[in-house]
Amino acid sequence: MRILHTADWHLGKMFYGEYLTEEQAHVLTQQLLPLIKEERIEALIIAGDIYDRSLPPVGAVALFDEILTKIAVEAHVPCFIISGNHDSATRLSFGNALMEKEGIFIGGELATLHSPIVLEDRYGAVSFYLLPFAEPAVVRQYYSEETVKDHETALRCLRSAQKIVQDTRSVCVAHAFVTGGVPCDSERPLAIGGSECVDVSCFDGFSYTALGHLHGPQKAGGRDNVRYAGSLLKYSFGEAKQKKGVSIVEIDAKGHVAWEQIPLVPQHDVRIIQGRFADIMTRPEANKEDFLLVRLEDEEPILDGLAKLRKKYPHVLALETPNRMIQGAPERKFDVRHTNERELFLNFTMAMRDGRTLSEHEKEWTETLWRRLWQEGGDGLL
Ligand SMILES: [Mn+2]
C-alpha cells in the first residue's frame, strides 16, 4: 500500500503579520494534490495541526474545505486526519460521521474512537489507528483512568482503548513529541511543566507510525518506521535551512516499510540574508520576493534601514543588527573624575560595542567633531 503522509499544515498561520494562506493553497493544490495521482497513492494521512489555531480564520476553513473535497471527489483516496495541539478536536470533527461515507476519517473527539479503520489492498488488510492529540486531564476524565498523569500515559490509554484487530499490517497516526526528537521555533510546547515527551515504544507493533508535531522531517526514536513528515512550509526563520515536504510510504505484503521524502516548493521561500547594508542593496539577488530576515553586519546605525531594504526586497519581515548589539552588561572600569572627555567617549563606545574600539575612519570623524565643539564654544558643555 502506498501512503502519502503529511502533517502540520497550520492553515491560517500568520507569519510576521502576513497570512500564509496563499502559499499554503499553492503547495496544496499545485503540488500535494497532483502527487496523489502521480505517486499512485492509496491512502492519505494528515497527522494533526490542520489549522494554526482552534478558531481558524475563514480563509483557512475555505481552503481546507476545497482540499478535502478534491481528495474525496476527484482523487477518490481515503484520507485519515487527526487533530493536533493547535486544533479544536470538536470543530475539526464537524460532520465526521457524514464524511466517513466519502472516505474521510477524522480522529478528534475521544467518543468517536473505538476501533481501527481497515482498508484493503492487493495483499490484504491494513488497519489505521487514529490517536489524536488530547490533554492528559481530558483523557483521564473521559476514560476514568487515574493512572493517566502525563502525555505518555495518556497516549498509552488512548491506544489500549481501541479494539485491536489481529492483523499483520497496521498504521498508527499520532500527534506527539517522541523523546529525542529535534524541535524548532514554530512548535507550541505540549506541556508547561511536566513532561511532553513520549517514548517511541508507545508505537511498538505498528508497521508504520505517521507522526505530527515536530516541524522538521525526521525519524523518531531511531526507528525508520516511526516518522515525522514535517510541516507544510517553513514557519520560522529557524527553519530556513530545512527541506519541507511530504513522506511517501510503501508498506509491502509482509508489513515492511520503505519511505521517500518528496519536497514541496513554495512560491516565496523563507530565507536569511546577511551582509553589510550597501552590499545587500547593490548585489544581484534572484529571489527578491522571498520572505526575508536580513542580518546587517554594519556597526553604524542605518537610518530607516527597514524601509530602504523593502524598496528592493518587499517582504523583509525582520531585521537584525548583531554588530550593534551589546552582549551582556560590560564592566565599567573607568573613573569619570580622572578621565577626559575623549577617553570617556572612547570607553563608552567600547562598552556599547562589546569591546571594539574606534576604526581609523571613526577616529578621524570624532576628531572633527571634537574640534568643532571646541571651536564653537563647546568647552562650556564639556
Ligand atoms: Mn504543529
Side-chain angles (χ1 to χ4, degrees), residues 158-369:
L158 283 188
R159 186 180 170 175
S160 63
Q162 293 211 34
K163 196 174 86 196
I164 300 295
V165 177
Q166 284 308 320
D167 48 30
T168 48
R169 299 191 299 160
S170 58
V171 174
C172 175
V173 186
H175 194 88
F177 192 143
V178 175
T179 308
V182 182
C184 48
D185 300 332
S186 60
E187 299 118 2
R188 187 194 296 157
L190 301 180
I192 305 299
S195 178
E196 60 176 348
C197 291
V198 303
D199 192 81
V200 71
S201 62
C202 288
F203 309 110
D204 281 352
F206 296 114
S207 311
Y208 182 71
T209 299
L211 292 172
H213 182 55
L214 296 183
H215 289 181
Q218 57 196 285
K219 59 183 175 182
R223 294 188 189 175
D224 278 326
N225 66 337
V226 184
R227 283 187 53 78
Y228 289 96
S231 56
L232 195 66
L233 300 172
K234 298 171 185 177
Y235 292 130
S236 71
F237 285 109
E239 294 156 65
K241 291 241 159 73
Q242 286 185 2
K243 285 202 166 55
K244 302 297 188 180
V246 298
S247 303
I248 307 255
V249 180
E250 175 136 19
I251 304 181
D252 72 8
K254 293 196 168 123
H256 297 134
V257 164
W259 61 268
E260 175 186 11
Q261 190 77 1
I262 308 274
L264 296 176
V265 183
Q267 289 169 300
H268 304 104
D269 199 3
V270 170
R271 291 190 297 129
I272 301 174
I273 56 175
Q274 185 158 354
R276 299 183 76 84
F277 178 76
D279 186 34
I280 289 176
M281 288 304 280
T282 48
R283 72 189 183 197
E285 186 71 53
N287 301 304
K288 295 195 204 72
E289 302 280 332
D290 285 349
F291 297 122
L292 299 176
L293 179 157
V294 178
R295 213 167 263 156
L296 288 182
E297 289 170 351
D298 305 71
E299 290 89 6
E300 309 81 26
I302 307 288
L303 197 65
D304 267 341
L306 195 58
K308 286 175 184 159
L309 284 164
R310 279 182 179 156
K311 287 203 176 122
K312 179 172 177 186
Y313 307 95
H315 300 293
V316 177
L317 304 183
L319 187 64
E320 284 180 6
T321 51
N323 292 345
R324 298 197 58 228
M325 283 200 299
I326 310 156
Q327 308 291 336
E331 208 181 325
R332 292 184 173 84
K333 287 189 181 138
F334 49 89
D335 177 355
V336 179
R337 284 164 304 179
H338 301 105
T339 309
N340 69 32
E341 72 282 351
R342 291 175 197 218
E343 286 167 344
L344 196 61
F345 177 75
L346 181 65
N347 284 331
F348 175 74
T349 311
M350 286 170 69
M352 288 296 111
R353 302 200 309 190
D354 210 16
R356 272 179 304 113
T357 185
L358 296 177
S359 67
E360 284 308 311
H361 170 72
E362 287 168 332
K363 268 186 208 155
E364 255 173 57
W365 188 71
T366 46
E367 205 42 54
T368 317
L369 270 184

Side-chain angles (χ1 to χ4, degrees), residues 127-181:
S127 317
F128 289 79
Y129 294 79
L130 306 186
L131 306 181
F133 173 81
E135 290 292 346
V138 173
V139 177
R140 180 169 55 236
Q141 196 190 9
Y142 184 81
Y143 291 104
S144 304
E145 189 58 77
E146 286 308 311
T147 54
V148 172
K149 56 186 191 313
D150 53 19
H151 284 277
E152 173 153 345
T153 44
L155 194 67
R156 289 186 191 278
C157 175
L158 283 188
R159 186 180 170 175
S160 63
Q162 293 211 34
K163 196 174 86 196
I164 300 295
V165 177
Q166 284 308 320
D167 48 30
T168 48
R169 299 191 299 160
S170 58
V171 174
C172 175
V173 186
H175 194 88
F177 192 143
V178 175
T179 308

Side-chain angles (χ1 to χ4, degrees), residues 81-84 87-93 96 105-113 130-134 138 158:
I81 300 163
I82 59 165
S83 57
D87 300 304
S88 154
T90 310
R91 292 196 183 99
L92 191 71
S93 305
N96 74 327
F105 302 92
I106 302 175
E109 298 218 287
L110 302 183
T112 62
L113 304 168
L130 306 186
L131 306 181
F133 173 81
V138 173
L158 283 188

